[in-house]
Coordinates of all heavy atoms in Angstrom, one line a residue:
N564 N 7.2 -6.7 -4.3 CA 6.1 -7.3 -3.7 C 6.4 -8.7 -3.4 O 6.8 -9.5 -4.3 CB 4.9 -7.2 -4.7 CG 3.6 -7.8 -4.2 OD1 3.6 -8.8 -3.5 ND2 2.6 -7.1 -4.5
C567 N 4.2 -11.7 -5.3 CA 4.3 -12.1 -6.7 C 5.7 -11.9 -7.2 O 6.0 -12.3 -8.3 CB 3.4 -11.2 -7.5 SG 3.7 -9.5 -7.3
G568 N 6.6 -11.2 -6.4 CA 8.0 -11.0 -6.9 C 8.1 -9.8 -7.9 O 9.2 -9.5 -8.4
D569 N 7.0 -9.0 -8.1 CA 7.1 -7.9 -8.9 C 7.9 -6.7 -8.3 O 7.9 -6.6 -7.1 CB 5.7 -7.4 -9.3 CG 5.0 -8.4 -10.2 OD1 5.6 -9.3 -10.7 OD2 3.7 -8.2 -10.4
G591 N 6.2 -5.6 -13.4 CA 5.0 -6.0 -12.6 C 3.8 -6.3 -13.5 O 3.9 -6.1 -14.7
C592 N 2.7 -6.6 -12.9 CA 1.5 -7.0 -13.6 C 0.8 -5.7 -14.1 O 1.2 -4.6 -13.8 CB 0.6 -7.7 -12.6 SG -0.1 -6.6 -11.4
G593 N -0.2 -5.9 -14.8 CA -1.0 -4.8 -15.4 C -1.5 -3.8 -14.4 O -1.4 -2.6 -14.6
A594 N -2.0 -4.3 -13.3 CA -2.5 -3.4 -12.3 C -1.4 -2.6 -11.6 O -1.6 -1.4 -11.2 CB -3.2 -4.2 -11.2
A595 N -0.2 -3.2 -11.5 CA 0.9 -2.4 -11.0 C 1.3 -1.3 -11.9 O 1.6 -0.2 -11.5 CB 2.1 -3.4 -10.7
K633 N -6.4 -7.6 -6.9 CA -5.3 -6.8 -7.4 C -5.1 -5.6 -6.5 O -4.2 -4.7 -6.8 CB -5.7 -6.3 -8.8 CG -5.7 -7.4 -9.9 CD -4.2 -7.6 -10.2 CE -4.0 -8.9 -11.0 NZ -2.6 -9.2 -11.2
H635 N -3.5 -5.4 -3.8 CA -2.1 -5.4 -3.2 C -1.1 -4.8 -4.3 O -0.1 -4.2 -3.9 CB -1.6 -6.8 -2.9 CG -1.4 -7.7 -4.1 ND1 -2.3 -8.5 -4.6 CD2 -0.2 -7.9 -4.8 CE1 -1.8 -9.1 -5.7 NE2 -0.5 -8.8 -5.8
C636 N -1.5 -4.8 -5.5 CA -0.6 -4.3 -6.6 C -0.5 -2.8 -6.4 O 0.5 -2.1 -6.6 CB -1.1 -4.6 -8.0 SG -1.6 -6.3 -8.1
L639 N 2.1 -1.3 -4.0 CA 3.4 -1.2 -4.5 C 3.7 0.3 -5.0 O 4.8 0.8 -4.8 CB 3.6 -2.1 -5.7 CG 4.9 -2.7 -6.0 CD1 5.5 -3.4 -4.9 CD2 4.8 -3.7 -7.2
Ligands
FES1047 FE1 2.5 -8.4 -8.6 FE2 0.3 -7.2 -9.2 S1 0.6 -9.3 -9.2 S2 2.1 -6.3 -8.4

Side-chain angles (χ1 to χ4, degrees):
N564 186 318
C567 58
D569 290 351
C592 71
K633 288 284 164 187
H635 72 272
C636 314
L639 211 54

